Amino acid sequence: MHRSPPPPAAPPLVVIVDDDPSVRASLDSLLRSVGLQTRLHAAPGELGAQPLPDVPGCIVLDVRLQGVSGLDVQAQLAAQGVALPVVFMTGHGDIPMTVKAMKAGAVDFLAKPFRDQDMLDAVTAAIERDRQRRQSDGALDGVRAHYATLTSREREVMALVVSGLMNKQVAAELQLSEITVKIHRGNVMRKMGVRSLAELVRQAEALGIGH
């Protein structure tokens, strides 16, 4: 019995926001020519009109839109939890604006007119950054799921252990026997899916505990 091959993964998405229809059309043609899917918007207010697909992607954003700054849009997207990396375009680039955009997490800042290859390189870098973020978020979700299985006592033990305390010190802190602490510590290691204290410390840092 032959198994049908899995469906092909959807291509990455590039969201283009520019109030110039000729720029939108040109970028749409360029990005689709290399197999990317696109969404075109004349104004940032259109971004929330439909949900984004669950694929890696980025936003290509004009820094000077009618009535709003692209830098403000970048800040608003971050506040709304939209984590897509941003590639800025501008016909009025200046160094302070570029620095501010990059510090806020922009991947690149391209001055118009730009070469097609420069845009493709910037978009490729942005999509790769988003792909890595998604993988990292997925791994963190797994750590959170493991942590949710710990009892309140096991969480107390974990927090003290990753802060550098020895079993005897943890026992004194929690008024438990050292043997009981060892049992809890073993349960923590097993439930968190780690084999070493170093791995447990890294997971605790990712969760923001033990400080």
Side-chain angles (χ1 to χ4, degrees), residues 74 85-88 101-109 129:
Q74 181 187 27
V86 175
V87 174
F88 275 112
M102 300 303 279
K103 282 185 175 180
V107 176
D108 212 334
F109 202 100
R129 178 187 290 190

Short mmCIF file of all heavy atoms in Angstrom, two decimals, residues 74 85-88 101-109 129:
data_model
loop_
_atom_site.label_atom_id
_atom_site.label_comp_id
_atom_site.label_asym_id
_atom_site.label_seq_id
_atom_site.Cartn_x
_atom_site.Cartn_y
_atom_site.Cartn_z
N GLN A 74 5.83 50.11 12.85
CA GLN A 74 6.69 49.06 13.40
C GLN A 74 6.45 48.90 14.90
O GLN A 74 6.31 47.78 15.41
CB GLN A 74 8.15 49.40 13.12
CG GLN A 74 9.16 48.37 13.63
CD GLN A 74 10.59 48.87 13.47
OE1 GLN A 74 10.84 50.07 13.47
NE2 GLN A 74 11.52 47.95 13.34
N PRO A 85 9.56 40.05 11.07
CA PRO A 85 10.64 41.01 10.84
C PRO A 85 10.25 42.02 9.77
O PRO A 85 9.46 41.73 8.88
CB PRO A 85 11.81 40.14 10.36
CG PRO A 85 11.47 38.75 10.78
CD PRO A 85 9.97 38.67 10.77
N VAL A 86 10.82 43.23 9.87
CA VAL A 86 10.47 44.32 8.97
C VAL A 86 11.68 44.72 8.11
O VAL A 86 12.79 44.86 8.62
CB VAL A 86 9.99 45.55 9.76
CG1 VAL A 86 9.73 46.73 8.81
CG2 VAL A 86 8.71 45.22 10.53
N VAL A 87 11.42 44.86 6.80
CA VAL A 87 12.39 45.46 5.88
C VAL A 87 11.81 46.81 5.47
O VAL A 87 10.70 46.87 4.93
CB VAL A 87 12.61 44.58 4.64
CG1 VAL A 87 13.51 45.28 3.63
CG2 VAL A 87 13.20 43.22 5.03
N PHE A 88 12.53 47.87 5.75
CA PHE A 88 12.04 49.21 5.42
C PHE A 88 12.51 49.65 4.04
O PHE A 88 13.62 49.33 3.60
CB PHE A 88 12.55 50.24 6.44
CG PHE A 88 11.69 50.33 7.68
CD1 PHE A 88 12.17 49.91 8.90
CD2 PHE A 88 10.42 50.85 7.61
CE1 PHE A 88 11.40 50.00 10.04
CE2 PHE A 88 9.62 50.95 8.75
CZ PHE A 88 10.12 50.52 9.95
N ALA A 101 15.32 52.60 13.27
CA ALA A 101 14.62 51.43 12.74
C ALA A 101 15.38 50.15 13.06
O ALA A 101 14.79 49.14 13.46
CB ALA A 101 14.44 51.58 11.23
N MET A 102 16.70 50.17 12.89
CA MET A 102 17.49 48.96 13.13
C MET A 102 17.48 48.60 14.62
O MET A 102 17.41 47.42 14.99
CB MET A 102 18.92 49.16 12.63
CG MET A 102 19.03 49.47 11.14
SD MET A 102 18.29 48.23 10.04
CE MET A 102 19.58 47.01 9.99
N LYS A 103 17.55 49.61 15.48
CA LYS A 103 17.51 49.34 16.92
C LYS A 103 16.17 48.73 17.32
O LYS A 103 16.09 47.97 18.29
CB LYS A 103 17.76 50.63 17.71
CG LYS A 103 19.23 51.04 17.77
CD LYS A 103 19.41 52.25 18.68
CE LYS A 103 20.89 52.58 18.83
NZ LYS A 103 21.10 53.76 19.72
N ALA A 104 15.12 49.09 16.60
CA ALA A 104 13.78 48.56 16.91
C ALA A 104 13.56 47.17 16.30
O ALA A 104 12.48 46.60 16.44
CB ALA A 104 12.71 49.52 16.42
N GLY A 105 14.57 46.66 15.62
CA GLY A 105 14.48 45.29 15.12
C GLY A 105 14.33 45.13 13.63
O GLY A 105 14.12 44.01 13.15
N ALA A 106 14.42 46.23 12.86
CA ALA A 106 14.33 46.10 11.40
C ALA A 106 15.49 45.26 10.89
O ALA A 106 16.61 45.31 11.42
CB ALA A 106 14.35 47.47 10.75
N VAL A 107 15.24 44.49 9.84
CA VAL A 107 16.28 43.65 9.25
C VAL A 107 17.15 44.45 8.30
O VAL A 107 18.37 44.28 8.24
CB VAL A 107 15.64 42.45 8.51
CG1 VAL A 107 16.70 41.62 7.81
CG2 VAL A 107 14.86 41.59 9.49
N ASP A 108 16.53 45.36 7.54
CA ASP A 108 17.29 46.15 6.57
C ASP A 108 16.54 47.45 6.29
O ASP A 108 15.36 47.59 6.63
CB ASP A 108 17.50 45.37 5.27
CG ASP A 108 18.83 45.70 4.60
OD1 ASP A 108 19.33 46.83 4.82
OD2 ASP A 108 19.34 44.86 3.85
N PHE A 109 17.24 48.37 5.67
CA PHE A 109 16.69 49.69 5.39
C PHE A 109 17.17 50.06 3.99
O PHE A 109 18.33 50.45 3.81
CB PHE A 109 17.21 50.69 6.43
CG PHE A 109 16.36 51.90 6.60
CD1 PHE A 109 15.47 52.00 7.66
CD2 PHE A 109 16.45 52.97 5.73
CE1 PHE A 109 14.68 53.13 7.85
CE2 PHE A 109 15.68 54.11 5.90
CZ PHE A 109 14.79 54.18 6.96
N ARG A 129 15.27 34.86 9.58
CA ARG A 129 15.19 35.28 10.98
C ARG A 129 13.86 34.84 11.58
O ARG A 129 13.80 34.36 12.72
CB ARG A 129 15.34 36.80 11.10
CG ARG A 129 15.21 37.28 12.54
CD ARG A 129 15.18 38.80 12.65
NE ARG A 129 16.46 39.41 12.36
CZ ARG A 129 16.71 40.72 12.57
NH1 ARG A 129 15.76 41.50 13.06
NH2 ARG A 129 17.89 41.23 12.28
#
